[in-house]
Amino acid sequence: MIRRPLMMVERIMYVDPETPLNCVYTAKIKGEIPEENFKTALAQIQQKHPLLRATIDHKSERYPLFVGQKDIEPIPLRIVERKTDEDWFKESENGWFQLFEHPKKPLAELVWVKGQDASEILWIMPHCISDGTTGVTLMRELLSLLDNPHAPLIPYVAFESVNDFLPSDFNTGIKKYKASLYLLFAKIFFSIQRKSKKRNLGKNYAIHWKMTPEDTKLITEKCKANGISVHALLCSSVMQAFRDIQGDRAKGKVISPVDVRHFIPEIKEDHLFAFAPTVELSVKKGSKDVMSNAKHIKKDLIEKINKMEARELLWMGEHMHPIVERMISMLKSSEGGHDVTLSNMGKVNIPNDYKNFKLETVISPTVAFPWLNSNTLVTSTYNNEMDFTFMSNENFLPKEEAHLIKDKAIELLTTSL
């Protein structure tokens, strides 16, 4: 049974016991499903994933722990009557602020926005146990079991520490010296930082939209013809949109998370995991050419990914626990050096036809970061439609301005080709 401290990256996403930081994953289905099928499916999913049978203990030791519970309660299923096509959006926003601090309740909830013919299903989970791949995995497993309660799910054993991911030739002696230096530099850095009283005091919001299959096809085909990735074009278009709308206030940089499973294959695609190493990408100074910047970004991204040492990053992070609270404090008060965190989940790997229902669409995750700069854009593609969720807070980026950036980004995405 799992009992381990939260990794450094998990602690940052946990924030503290009073601050919710949740991801909400949504899918829309057409068809009728018995309520009993939901309960059966949730029980099987909970038995597969160790973190869904654990709680977070922040009192027993200096740093918070994941602690497995033998008598954990079932994953709650909350049923909401579906009255409009936008009810799911309200439930998604409500899910941002739910605390998962009960000593016997799991770190997840399922919301069923139940309609006569159409329904939305929402997974709500703390970000400290989930990334984009986690949301896709849990939705895929749930839909499979709703259609066939006898579909097999194979449980797995949770890792005990980041040491489980270290190669045999990992030189801990040299790395410990390096980690000690990093920690020292970090302490000096935080000690000389001026304390800011700025905070995220505005209302969090999300903006959701989809591209038509025609526009999605146009973008993917033109990217291929020009030798660039869709992700590079997204980054270039979004950064230029910030420049066009914000002028000198724009930073010309994005933070882009990368799925850690690409670097550490022991973390399987269907395992719950929260850490996503990031790369910083920027447009060329003085250049407003979206396509040229996209080519520069693609090259830069490939180089940075090839240099990334994800195992070492995880291990180094475990030596930074003494400064996690100062990191969190800085995130809550600093405007950062980037315009937005841009997460591209790519094509969502979930079937759409089932015996008893049809999966209409998958909606990109929503999240409300408590940071001052909470600008976050998530995109995914399902059924040949690119889907977007753009999140921030009114205090840092007024919603009206976010709509202008969104509209400009769409214009650049479709006309630059």
Side-chain angles (χ1 to χ4, degrees):
M1 191 163 287
I2 189 170
R3 182 182 176 87
R4 68 165 176 84
L6 274 67
M7 294 184 296
M8 183 272 282
V9 288
E10 292 169 332
R11 280 187 64 200
I12 291 173
M13 292 303 171
Y14 174 61
V15 190
D16 59 54
E18 291 80 36
T19 306
L21 175 46
N22 301 328
C23 295
V24 184
Y25 308 91
T26 306
K28 181 181 180 181
I29 61 170
K30 283 205 169 179
E32 294 187 12
I33 303 170
E35 182 179 334
E36 193 55 42
N37 283 25
F38 274 95
K39 294 178 179 176
T40 302
L42 289 173
Q44 289 178 257
I45 290 170
Q46 191 172 20
Q47 281 306 305
K48 173 181 174 177
H49 299 284
L51 282 174
L52 296 181
R53 302 191 305 277
T55 56
I56 297 175
D57 175 5
H58 59 87
K59 296 178 180 177
S60 297
E61 297 188 16
R62 183 179 178 187
Y63 302 132
L65 305 159
F66 287 121
V67 180
Q69 304 291 340
K70 288 183 180 178
D71 53 350
I72 192 88
E73 293 184 17
I75 297 171
L77 170 65
R78 185 162 57 85
I79 302 174
V80 178
E81 183 185 358
R82 190 182 195 272
K83 297 177 181 176
T84 74
D85 288 342
E86 297 302 313
D87 290 339
W88 71 268
F89 194 79
K90 181 181 177 183
E91 291 302 324
S92 181
E93 290 183 321
N94 291 341
W96 296 339
F97 305 109
Q98 181 172 330
L99 282 170
F100 289 90
E101 288 295 325
H102 193 283
K104 292 298 178 184
K105 289 186 177 179
L107 300 170
E109 179 184 75
L110 194 78
V111 179
W112 179 13
V113 183
K114 183 180 180 183
Q116 291 271 331
D117 180 46
S119 294
E120 282 85 16
I121 299 168
L122 291 79
W123 275 105
I124 302 171
M125 283 173 291
H127 203 341
C128 64
I129 70 163
S130 60
D131 62 354
T133 301
T134 293
V136 172
T137 291
L138 292 180
M139 195 65 76
R140 183 173 55 243
E141 291 177 350
L142 178 68
L143 295 173
S144 173
L145 289 165
L146 288 176
D147 200 48
N148 176 17
H150 303 293
L153 281 189
I154 301 171
Y156 58 93
V157 178
F159 70 92
E160 294 181 3
S161 82
V162 297
N163 292 334
D164 294 358
F165 305 129
L166 297 182
S168 57
D169 59 350
F170 191 81
N171 191 326
T172 53
I174 291 174
K175 303 294 185 186
K176 274 185 181 177
Y177 177 72
K178 188 175 173 183
S180 299
L181 281 178
Y182 282 170
L183 179 60
L184 176 62
F185 293 150
K187 285 180 175 178
I188 294 170
F189 170 78
F190 285 115
S191 70
I192 62 176
Q193 288 296 300
R194 292 178 62 186
K195 294 201 176 191
S196 171
K197 293 184 179 178
K198 287 184 179 179
R199 290 292 184 273
N200 171 357
L201 301 175
K203 181 184 178 185
N204 287 90
Y205 61 82
I207 301 169
H208 172 249
W209 73 96
K210 284 184 178 291
M211 280 193 165
T212 64
E214 293 75 23
D215 279 346
T216 301
K217 185 179 180 183
L218 171 70
I219 290 168
T220 52
E221 286 183 351
K222 292 292 186 179
C223 282
K224 191 174 182 181
N226 284 277
I228 60 170
S229 64
V230 172
H231 185 71
L233 182 63
L234 281 168
C235 289
S236 178
S237 301
V238 169
M239 280 188 273
Q240 189 56 49
F242 269 90
R243 282 166 142 188
D244 288 350
I245 302 302
Q246 293 191 331
D248 292 341
R249 290 184 292 131
K251 310 291 197 311
K253 291 181 181 178
V254 299
I255 290 175
S256 187
V258 183
D259 192 340
V260 72
R261 296 164 185 82
H262 294 315
F263 309 101
I264 307 178
E266 300 96 298
I267 305 169
K268 305 298 184 186
E269 185 184 348
D270 64 337
H271 290 190
L272 271 59
F273 203 78
F275 171 57
T278 60
V279 293
E280 187 178 89
L281 303 168
S282 59
V283 289
K284 291 187 287 187
K285 287 184 179 179
S287 172
K288 292 189 175 182
D289 186 322
V290 171
M291 189 60 69
S292 173
N293 279 323
K295 290 177 180 177
H296 162 73
I297 288 166
K298 180 190 175 184
K299 181 174 178 287
D300 191 30
L301 179 61
I302 290 170
E303 288 175 357
K304 287 178 175 177
I305 285 177
N306 287 339
K307 291 178 183 176
M308 190 172 285
E309 297 287 347
R311 297 174 194 269
E312 183 174 327
L313 278 173
L314 273 177
W315 187 84
M316 286 286 184
E318 294 311 279
H319 294 76
M320 302 295 144
H321 281 283
I323 58 168
V324 166
E325 289 178 6
R326 279 181 275 183
M327 289 182 185
I328 291 170
S329 178
M330 189 176 77
L331 287 166
K332 285 182 174 182
S333 61
S334 168
E335 295 188 2
H338 62 289
D339 293 314
V340 65
T341 297
L342 197 161
S343 176
N344 178 18
M345 294 170 57
K347 287 185 179 180
V348 174
N349 180 24
I350 304 179
N352 61 351
D353 281 321
Y354 297 84
K355 288 182 293 184
N356 301 304
F357 58 86
K358 182 178 181 180
L359 176 57
E360 286 280 294
T361 193
V362 175
I363 296 162
S364 300
T366 68
V367 60
F369 284 103
W371 321 139
L372 179 61
N373 182 349
S374 55
N375 294 352
T376 308
L377 177 64
V378 185
T379 179
S380 59
T381 302
Y382 189 75
N383 273 354
N384 301 312
E385 290 181 329
M386 289 183 74
D387 182 275
F388 298 83
T389 51
F390 186 16
M391 285 73 59
S392 191
N393 71 85
E394 288 276 11
N395 185 219
F396 186 76
L397 179 66
K399 192 173 182 180
E400 184 179 348
E401 188 175 18
H403 272 288
L404 294 175
I405 292 169
K406 174 207 113 177
D407 293 342
K408 176 56 72 171
I410 293 172
E411 177 191 327
L412 293 168
L413 266 173
T414 51
T415 60
S416 62
L417 301 168

